[in-house]
Amino acid sequence: MKRRQKSAKHKKAVESLRKSEERYKELADSLPQTVFETDERGNLTFANRTAFEIFGYTQDDFDKGINVLQTLIPDDRDRAKKNIRRVMSGEELGGTEYTALKKDGSTFPALIHSSPIIHENKPVGLRGCLIDITKRKQTEEEVKSYQKKIEALINSSKDLVFLKDKDFRYLIANKAHEKVFNIKVKDIIGKTDFDFMPKEVAEGCRRSDEKTLKSKDPIEKEEFAGDRCYHIVKQRVVDVEGNIMGIAAVIREITARKKMEEALQKHTRDLGERVKELNCLYEIAQLVEKPEISLEEIIQGTVELIPPAWQYPEITCARVTLEAQEYRTANFRETAWKQASDIVVYDNRIGALEVYYLEEKPEIGEGPFLKEERSLINTIAERLGKITERKKAEEDLRRAIEELKALDKMKSDFVSNVSHELRSPMTSIKGYTDLILMGIAGKINQKQREFLITVKKNADRLTRLIDDLLDISRLDAGRIELNLQTLNIPGLVQEIVKSYQIEARARKISLETDLPEEFPLLRADSDRIKQVLTNLVGNALKFTPPQGKIVLGFQGKKKEALFWVKDTGPGIAQKDLSTIFEKFQQLGKRKKTGTGLGLAIAKGLVELHKGRIWAESQRGKGSAFYFALPKEKNGKSE
């Protein structure tokens, strides 16, 4: 009975051991690391699934037998043997790094943790875990490479770069320290500032370091040491848990930069003063150009523009004295701090410009005034002199123009009055001459008829002269009103040609027209346009030689109606084309009998229609006179 009970207990223990081994194997197979066991000779007695996957061995290989040393490169095997003996003897080695060897001959870095298997108080083998540390090694190499780069970068900097622990001892210092302190970096590491700096300098550094340790934010400042200036940035260093580790700092010498900044600031201030001066001169120029502004307004405006242009505008006042007149700023008061410049017109001093400071300021040039302000006050005074000259000249010119206008009006009134006075008797002379020629007063002989015809021709000529004088007088006075109506263009042109055809044939001149088939709608004063064309054709007849040709033409353009009269006369010099429409103009070889008013009247009548008139000509190639009138659009003249 006892034997059966003992046998049952044994079977139960074996079964329990089997299940335990299965659970151990399942647990081991679930791990991502290699788990193994060996006997006392190093032969593998167990390896989990990960071991087979990593090393590439099969179950057959395992069944044939694999010694643990086969999984390491030959160079590591002697060291591994020694470490196995040490572990078997009970020594704890911790993790040991080896280079693992796969079945295919490839390798990888590995970390092995192992412990002895004890049976009946005796070591019978090893149990261990192998971890692939390829990524860790790569990370370590990257960190080393990064550290080297950081070290190279820090050492390449001309700035002082360092790291101190919380006891203010140097942990890192770049090579720039060697040049500044004349000491090797290796002799700085582990030391404090008091070990290689003057005491007063070290004390200043210590106070700054202590302040940095207490501050969460970086501390940035500029400090002078003798004649040198440094820009300092310090930051306390903490670990991931927020514990203070020490101080990191960068110190850069900025002496040259500070000098450049000071020079730039001075240049900027000077530039600002120049801009103020230029603004003052520009605003004075703008003031002068205002229409209808008087000399008094210009001078007062200039006085008020002066204070903003000076270095201290809030305490600047100004005054201009000009021919016993004074112009001043509202805050004007005479003081001991003064600049002045004379105002000169036609080489005579007529006044002065004065600028005062109301408070004492440091002397920098001309007392408290800048040397550029001397140039500015002289420039303003000179401009005031020229402005005064110009305004006086403008006033003289205005008076002269008014006098000329008055004289011109007197002339126009005289011409108008005389023309009216002459017209009535001339009408009577022409009328009675016609009556005598008709025989109303009795028979006349041939000689008397010839004399009377001569009288009639000269009376007609004098009447035309009077009409021209009256028209030009009315145009000058703006007393001509237009009777606008739709123009019969072809009828008007043919009427002009018909009226001059007999005279043209008598002179052996061809008088032709150049007209289109269709004509635009054009509103104009028919009588006045007829007068313009009559003057142009009559003018052409005067200067066109026998066998010559005159063409009266028309063309409807997009926005204008264009008339022209072209002749084959001697032409007009280019220099005379710009003045040919002026009153009483008879140029060069074109001088003939007449008043010299025909073209001037034509120009006035065309412009009264809001049109334009011009001439084109070359010597020896005839002349062409054009005038254009605006066409109608939607019933209204354009």
Side-chain angles (χ1 to χ4, degrees), residues 395-584:
E395 182 61 24
D396 293 342
L397 180 61
R398 185 186 62 79
R399 284 196 294 266
I401 289 172
E402 288 177 355
E403 290 174 2
L404 286 173
K405 285 181 178 178
L407 289 172
D408 191 56
K409 185 176 183 303
M410 289 173 61
K411 178 214 64 170
S412 296
D413 291 343
F414 174 75
V415 169
S416 179
N417 291 335
V418 169
S419 299
H420 277 291
E421 292 298 323
L422 288 174
R423 194 166 194 175
S424 296
M426 286 308 303
T427 302
S428 297
I429 292 171
K430 286 176 62 180
Y432 282 115
T433 302
D434 286 337
L435 289 174
I436 294 171
L437 286 170
M438 292 167 61
I440 301 299
K443 270 191 165 188
I444 57 173
N445 58 37
Q446 186 62 32
K447 196 71 171 176
Q448 290 170 332
R449 181 174 294 279
E450 291 175 1
F451 287 163
L452 287 170
I453 289 172
T454 301
V455 170
K456 186 176 183 301
K457 284 182 179 179
N458 282 286
D460 287 340
R461 179 171 171 270
L462 191 54
T463 298
R464 287 194 298 273
L465 173 60
I466 291 168
D467 288 341
D468 284 350
L469 288 171
L470 283 171
D471 283 340
I472 204 71
S473 178
R474 292 190 189 110
L475 283 167
D476 287 344
R479 292 201 299 265
I480 291 183
E481 293 185 3
L482 298 178
N483 179 24
L484 298 177
Q485 54 187 320
T486 302
L487 208 60
N488 180 1
I489 298 171
L492 179 63
V493 172
Q494 293 299 338
E495 184 181 348
I496 300 293
V497 171
K498 186 177 180 181
S499 67
Y500 278 106
Q501 197 64 261
I502 295 173
E503 184 180 350
R505 287 173 182 166
R507 292 172 177 266
K508 297 182 180 179
I509 296 172
S510 173
L511 181 56
E512 303 174 2
T513 61
D514 181 7
L515 301 176
E517 293 182 2
E518 295 182 359
F519 296 87
L521 186 64
L522 182 64
R523 283 176 61 81
D525 188 319
S526 180
D527 291 337
R528 293 303 181 182
I529 298 304
K530 179 180 177 182
Q531 185 178 354
V532 173
L533 289 170
T534 298
N535 284 356
L536 295 179
V537 174
N539 196 60
L541 280 169
K542 289 179 187 178
F543 299 103
T544 302
Q547 314 306 321
K549 182 170 72 171
I550 298 172
V551 179
L552 198 163
F554 173 85
Q555 182 181 3
K557 291 186 172 292
K558 186 176 182 180
K559 292 185 178 182
E560 295 179 318
L562 181 66
F563 294 84
W564 68 80
V565 175
K566 299 179 181 179
D567 65 51
T568 57
I572 305 168
Q574 289 293 314
K575 64 183 180 64
D576 295 329
L577 288 174
S578 60
T579 59
I580 197 168
F581 291 100
E582 293 180 6
K583 289 180 281 189
F584 308 109

Side-chain angles (χ1 to χ4, degrees), residues 560-563 606 609-614 626-630:
E560 295 179 318
L562 181 66
F563 294 84
V606 168
H609 282 80
K610 298 182 180 178
R612 56 197 183 95
I613 188 169
W614 69 97
Y626 299 88
F627 70 92
L629 303 179

Side-chain angles (χ1 to χ4, degrees), residues 90-144:
E91 185 178 346
E92 293 185 5
L93 296 183
T96 307
E97 290 186 14
Y98 298 99
T99 300
L101 178 66
K102 295 181 181 181
K103 181 181 178 181
D104 64 5
S106 60
T107 63
F108 63 92
L111 180 67
I112 298 177
H113 293 272
S114 61
S115 61
I117 299 173
I118 305 297
H119 181 67
E120 296 180 353
N121 296 323
K122 289 175 59 179
V124 294
L126 288 176
R127 179 180 293 115
C129 174
L130 181 147
I131 302 171
D132 185 344
I133 58 172
T134 301
K135 290 184 178 180
R136 193 186 84 179
K137 284 292 185 180
Q138 289 175 346
T139 301
E140 289 175 353
E141 290 301 319
E142 290 174 359
V143 169
K144 287 180 182 178

Side-chain angles (χ1 to χ4, degrees), residues 331-435:
N331 65 338
F332 180 78
R333 177 165 52 88
E334 289 189 9
T335 68
W337 309 289
K338 167 187 174 183
Q339 270 188 322
S341 185
D342 289 341
I343 299 174
V344 177
V345 174
Y346 301 128
D347 297 326
N348 295 316
R349 182 186 181 280
I350 64 166
L353 168 60
E354 300 165 290
V355 177
Y356 291 85
Y357 279 158
L358 301 176
E359 298 175 9
E360 185 175 5
K361 289 293 179 181
E363 293 196 5
I364 50 176
E366 185 182 326
F369 298 98
L370 298 169
K371 62 179 182 179
E372 290 82 7
E373 289 170 343
R374 162 51 59 192
S375 299
L376 181 58
I377 193 173
N378 288 343
T379 300
I380 295 174
E382 181 184 354
R383 292 199 178 182
L384 286 175
K386 290 181 178 178
I387 291 167
T388 304
E389 286 181 7
R390 173 180 154 186
K391 283 294 181 181
K392 288 181 178 294
E394 287 177 356
E395 182 61 24
D396 293 342
L397 180 61
R398 185 186 62 79
R399 284 196 294 266
I401 289 172
E402 288 177 355
E403 290 174 2
L404 286 173
K405 285 181 178 178
L407 289 172
D408 191 56
K409 185 176 183 303
M410 289 173 61
K411 178 214 64 170
S412 296
D413 291 343
F414 174 75
V415 169
S416 179
N417 291 335
V418 169
S419 299
H420 277 291
E421 292 298 323
L422 288 174
R423 194 166 194 175
S424 296
M426 286 308 303
T427 302
S428 297
I429 292 171
K430 286 176 62 180
Y432 282 115
T433 302
D434 286 337
L435 289 174

Side-chain angles (χ1 to χ4, degrees), residues 213-263:
L213 278 182
K214 295 175 182 178
S215 174
K216 293 182 180 180
D217 299 320
I219 293 178
E220 186 172 355
K221 61 182 178 178
E222 291 181 1
E223 285 187 0
F224 278 91
D227 60 348
R228 296 185 177 277
C229 184
Y230 296 90
H231 180 258
I232 302 171
V233 180
K234 289 186 176 182
Q235 170 75 64
R236 75 179 184 183
V237 180
V238 297
D239 61 17
V240 292
E241 296 177 354
N243 299 313
I244 297 173
M245 304 296 292
I247 297 167
V250 177
I251 301 176
R252 173 175 294 178
E253 184 183 348
I254 56 171
T255 307
R257 193 188 83 187
K258 290 297 287 185
K259 289 180 179 179
M260 289 178 64
E261 285 177 357
E262 290 171 1

